[in-house]
Amino acid sequence: MSDILRVRALSAGYQPDMSILKGVDLKVDAGEFVVLLGPNGAGKSTLVKTIAGLVPIHGGSVKLRGEEISDLPAHLRLRHGLAFVPQTENIFAQMTIRENLQLAAQILPKATRAGRIAAMMDTFPDLASRPGTRAGALSGGQRQMLAVARALIVEPEVLILDEPSAGLSPLMVADVFARLKAINASGITVLLVEQNVRAGLSIASRGVILVEGRVAHDAPSADLADDPVVAQLYLGGRAQEGAQ
Ligand SMILES: Nc1ncnc2c1ncn2[C@@H]1O[C@H](COP(=O)(O)OP(=O)(O)OP(=O)(O)O)[C@@H](O)[C@H]1O
Ligand SMILES: [Mg+2]
């Protein structure tokens, strides 16, 4: 098995004496689509931010393709193929769609920038149809698409997203999820933080449930969806009724 992302005994937090993550183990195989679930305050955002290089590590390791990256600053992790779409402030609202993409492309060699921006415009026709529109004027779903396009501009191997469905209408959530499915099908490994357990398990092949800074469950999505304990805790008990 080829794991592309490997987190071992990871502890991390915003202050040196207070670990929010308390020994997290997580493995994501190349090409996999994994959803990270858990109650509010469980540490989901902290975990993905730590993987992206945005929260100090207190112990443990983060490896990408077997290479230790936990000492690398965030922008070098991006260069190594790990792209992260944060939960908030993932676009520049005052800038146009084109400017947002241009800024994201700055990390690339100059000669490749225009080509990658054009590729993103091809992939996201909604954005291409109005490159001069201010990002702040877009709908919630389109903003998330722009945030995803910004992350994809570097052709990452791993795409990590923190609740891109937050605040979106069901129709827009379906749109964003369909896009993430297609991105995964194109060969990019996806780690998605999702608030809605049922929706998350329906899109990913495996679910990891974080509780109080620790992994409480890690199993194929179908197993988690059928698990009476998981159902009772996170799904309102409906699967449990069906199981008995
Ligand atoms: N910037 C910060 N500084 C200090 N503590 C923080 C910071 N961000 C989050 N925390 C704390 O870390 C813990 C985990 O928060 P985190 O945002 O990772 O949870 P989460 O699982 O993403 O929750 P949610 O579902 O609400 O997004 C919480 O106790 C929170 O108060
Ligand atoms: Mg969060």
Side-chain angles (χ1 to χ4, degrees):
M1 265 211 261
S2 60
D3 48 295
I4 193 161
L5 180 66
R6 182 111 198 190
V7 170
R8 275 212 181 95
L10 187 67
S11 59
Y14 304 90
Q15 284 135 27
D17 52 348
M18 209 180 96
S19 293
I20 304 289
L21 305 179
K22 299 165 179 131
V24 170
D25 292 297
L26 174 70
K27 183 171 79 75
V28 181
D29 285 333
E32 218 182 351
F33 194 135
V34 173
V35 66
L36 180 61
L37 306 161
N40 292 122
K44 304 181 297 296
S45 293
T46 303
L47 175 54
V48 288
K49 282 192 283 181
T50 305
I51 293 171
L54 303 170
V55 176
I57 289 183
H58 299 162
S61 84
V62 180
K63 286 184 178 169
L64 188 67
R65 273 183 259 94
E67 187 188 342
E68 183 64 50
I69 59 162
S70 56
D71 291 332
L72 294 181
H75 72 278
L76 289 184
R77 296 187 199 200
L78 181 60
R79 285 228 172 106
H80 275 68
L82 186 126
F84 174 55
V85 180
Q87 189 166 359
T88 55
E89 290 166 34
N90 52 26
I91 53 158
F92 294 95
Q94 302 305 322
M95 294 185 179
T96 66
I97 289 173
R98 190 193 286 109
E99 287 165 347
N100 265 278
L101 294 176
Q102 284 169 339
L103 209 60
Q106 290 297 313
I107 195 164
L108 296 170
K110 215 166 184 172
T112 65
R113 290 176 196 166
R116 287 303 299 156
I117 292 170
M120 288 302 104
M121 293 293 196
D122 277 351
T123 310
F124 297 88
D126 265 12
L127 304 179
S129 63
R130 44 183 163 157
T133 300
R134 214 169 45 82
L138 298 174
S139 72
Q142 289 163 341
R143 282 190 200 207
Q144 291 301 337
M145 297 296 189
L146 178 57
V148 171
R150 282 173 49 84
L152 289 181
I153 216 155
V154 301
E155 296 186 88
E157 288 177 81
V158 180
L159 177 64
I160 302 178
L161 309 104
D162 194 353
E163 290 198 44
S165 68
L168 300 187
S169 69
L171 210 62
M172 282 179 176
V173 172
D175 250 24
V176 170
F177 275 20
R179 177 66 66 180
L180 296 182
K181 273 270 192 209
I183 289 166
N184 180 241
S186 80
I188 297 173
T189 306
V190 177
L191 176 60
L192 170 72
V193 177
E194 173 55 46
Q195 188 69 236
N196 184 317
V197 175
R198 207 176 286 279
L201 292 178
S202 73
I203 187 180
S205 57
R206 187 158 60 87
V208 175
I209 302 180
L210 203 66
V211 178
E212 291 178 12
R214 293 186 175 89
V215 174
H217 303 270
D218 181 344
S221 295
D223 295 359
L224 287 178
D226 289 343
D227 185 324
V229 175
V230 169
Q232 189 162 37
L233 286 176
Y234 310 106
L235 296 171
R238 269 177 274 175
Q240 186 181 28
E241 286 159 26
Q244 284 180 349

